[in-house]
Amino acid sequence: MAMARHKGDHEARRRDVSAAVWRVLASHGFGGLTLRAVATEMGATTGLLTHYFPSKKDLIEHALTLLDEHRMADRPTEFPDGLAGLRAMLLEILPLTEQAVTSNRIWVGSWDAALANPELAAGHAVRYRRSRERIRTQVVAAQQLDELPPSDPDDTATALLSFVLGLIVQTLLDQAAFPAGQQIRLLDQRLAELARTIQ
Amino acid sequence: MAMARHKGDHEARRRDVSAAVWRVLASHGFGGLTLRAVATEMGATTGLLTHYFPSKKDLIEHALTLLDEHRMADRPTEFPDGLAGLRAMLLEILPLTEQAVTSNRIWVGSWDAALANPELAAGHAVRYRRSRERIRTQVVAAQQLDELPPSDPDDTATALLSFVLGLIVQTLLDQAAFPAGQQIRLLDQRLAELARTIQ
DNA sequence: ACATTCGCGTAACAGATGTTTTGTTAATTG
DNA sequence: CAATTAACAAAACATCTGTTACGCGAATGT
């Protein structure tokens, strides 16, 4: 059958493939990620995939790298200083939109593979260390503005990331119980509690 | 080669098999769980496995059910009322010991499969709902003892389970950064913050 | 107009995987 | 002590996996 030829540039096509990888990961998890599944997901064959990616590992790596960049690009680089900025930053992480649900579902799913592969685990360790660092910066700023009482910002950042990650997990496993409004309410309560704590 | 026959009862053997499943899950994750891997892990063949379990799904289900029971059996059924009991309950969940690391690693790894299978997800939803309920009971008790200020116990329980789950994830992915002492310190800080919050 | 390269479907391939079948040995039963 | 059955190993099986080889039409350059 004569297929329509996409003269478009190489890189755009690789992005299409990666998008298909995301959709398969989101619906079938890492356990269900096969070349055939990705191919049928985008209405193509494995021949196309191997034309753009030499191996499955390359395919996954590129898709995850792109997902990470995508996520970074979607959210503001700079948040306003202080508590409001901290709140905005944490809201960006939570699965509040369909998009965010999908991307979080992929990251949660990647933990199994990461825990079985030290190399992947190291990558995740770096990633979450960076998250903590970014949260820490906002905590310090809020403290300097007297919006938060003094505390060890490292511990506070770790505690906040823990809270957010745990809420993500509970939400994904029981989305009906944690609609967006509920998640936001819980986060606001958490931040209010932080602000009202006696030192 | 003439193998030693285990005349032992059927159920004990199924427990042996499940234990082998745990070890494979702990070291290779769900992605690396194959009948061959389980068989060699216990020095047997796939023939033994299929003799005790009709299919792989049955094998996994039984192993996870047993792991859940096992975990419940290991920890006290009753915790003392109040803040100390709440603390003890949450400490039981954290990956403080090698055993707890292993079991938590399996649970975190199961999330990928659960998110791809509504049936498994439903099981997890029930499980974590139960966890919240048990935490909630302790929160209420602590409030009645005036060890915690009044608050919506449902929200507080959810927030606490979120915190613990998120801390588990961060710990497993970067165990060097979160030794047992650090986890306990963070939890104690979290509980102290809860106790010191102005209503 | 012709040669070359690109894009991608087709299909073959070897290895792994879950399942089924078969055979063998040790316990159990009558 | 024969007969049956439980407890496995061994191997065959079909299916699925990632990878590779191949072919063909369309675009592109000359």
Side-chain angles (χ1 to χ4, degrees):
Chain A
M1 175 168 40
M3 276 288 104
R5 295 295 145 137
H6 299 255
K7 57 172 182 179
D9 66 301
H10 199 77
E11 207 51 42
R13 217 67 224 283
R14 283 166 61 98
R15 244 171 296 147
D16 293 345
V17 174
S18 293
V21 172
W22 300 345
R23 279 180 308 228
V24 172
L25 283 178
S27 54
H28 299 93
F30 273 78
L33 180 69
T34 70
L35 295 189
R36 263 87 169 175
V38 174
T40 59
E41 170 68 34
M42 63 184 296
T45 64
T46 66
L48 186 151
L49 300 181
T50 58
H51 181 67
Y52 289 99
F53 298 96
S55 82
K56 183 183 180 180
K57 177 171 272 184
D58 297 315
L59 184 109
I60 300 177
E61 269 181 18
H62 189 258
L64 288 186
T65 302
L66 231 58
L67 181 62
D68 204 17
E69 289 174 6
H70 203 75
R71 191 152 79 151
M72 290 300 182
D74 270 2
R75 57 179 68 158
T77 335
E78 295 268 324
F79 291 94
D81 269 6
L83 201 54
L86 178 60
R87 178 176 184 270
M89 174 180 281
L90 298 179
L91 283 179
E92 285 293 329
I93 307 179
L94 289 174
L96 299 175
T97 69
E98 199 50 50
Q99 263 261 356
V101 167
T102 300
S103 102
N104 270 301
R105 191 248 170 280
I106 296 175
W107 286 118
V108 171
S110 77
W111 290 341
D112 180 50
L115 288 173
N117 181 325
E119 204 175 325
L120 290 180
H124 276 51
V126 168
R127 207 183 307 280
Y128 291 113
R129 208 170 298 165
R130 259 205 290 264
S131 283
R132 270 175 257 145
E133 181 52 40
R134 286 175 48 223
I135 294 174
R136 197 191 82 99
T137 304
Q138 293 286 358
V139 168
V140 169
Q143 286 175 342
Q144 284 171 345
L145 290 173
D146 270 325
E147 293 178 338
L148 286 183
S151 71
D152 181 344
D154 281 309
D155 289 346
T156 303
T158 300
L160 281 177
L161 183 57
S162 293
F163 171 76
V164 169
L165 289 180
L167 186 52
I168 289 173
V169 170
Q170 292 183 76
T171 297
L172 294 183
L173 287 172
D174 193 357
Q175 294 196 42
F178 295 92
Q182 168 82 336
Q183 296 177 57
I184 296 173
R185 203 171 57 76
L186 287 167
L187 174 62
D188 281 336
Q189 276 184 200
R190 183 69 187 81
L191 290 177
E193 184 187 327
L194 207 57
R196 281 177 306 175
T197 301
I198 313 169
Q199 28 171 330
Chain B
M1 172 170 44
M3 277 287 104
R5 295 295 145 138
H6 299 254
K7 57 174 181 179
D9 67 304
H10 199 75
E11 208 49 44
R13 217 68 226 284
R14 281 166 63 98
R15 242 171 297 150
D16 292 345
V17 173
S18 293
V21 173
W22 300 346
R23 275 172 304 196
V24 172
L25 283 178
S27 53
H28 298 93
F30 270 78
L33 180 69
T34 70
L35 296 188
R36 263 85 169 176
V38 174
T40 59
E41 170 68 34
M42 63 184 297
T45 65
T46 65
L48 186 151
L49 301 182
T50 60
H51 180 67
Y52 289 99
F53 298 96
S55 81
K56 184 184 180 181
K57 177 171 272 184
D58 298 315
L59 184 109
I60 300 176
E61 269 181 12
H62 190 257
L64 287 185
T65 302
L66 231 59
L67 181 61
D68 200 21
E69 289 173 6
H70 201 77
R71 191 152 79 152
M72 289 301 183
D74 270 3
R75 57 180 68 156
T77 333
E78 297 267 325
F79 291 94
D81 269 5
L83 201 54
L86 179 60
R87 178 177 185 268
M89 174 181 282
L90 297 178
L91 282 178
E92 286 292 329
I93 307 179
L94 289 174
L96 299 174
T97 68
E98 198 52 50
Q99 262 261 356
V101 167
T102 300
S103 104
N104 271 299
R105 191 248 169 281
I106 296 176
W107 286 117
V108 172
S110 77
W111 290 340
D112 181 50
L115 288 174
N117 182 325
E119 205 174 327
L120 289 180
H124 276 51
V126 169
R127 210 184 305 282
Y128 290 115
R129 206 169 300 165
R130 259 204 290 262
S131 283
R132 270 174 259 145
E133 182 51 41
R134 287 175 48 224
I135 295 174
R136 197 190 83 97
T137 303
Q138 293 288 352
V139 168
V140 169
Q143 287 175 343
Q144 285 172 343
L145 291 172
D146 270 323
E147 293 177 338
L148 286 182
S151 71
D152 181 345
D154 281 308
D155 289 346
T156 302
T158 301
L160 281 177
L161 182 57
S162 293
F163 171 78
V164 169
L165 289 179
L167 186 53
I168 288 173
V169 170
Q170 292 183 76
T171 297
L172 293 184
L173 287 172
D174 193 358
Q175 294 196 43
F178 295 92
Q182 169 81 336
Q183 297 178 57
I184 296 173
R185 204 171 55 77
L186 286 167
L187 174 61
D188 281 336
Q189 277 185 197
R190 184 66 189 84
L191 290 177
E193 185 188 326
L194 207 58
R196 280 178 309 173
T197 302
I198 312 169
Q199 27 168 330

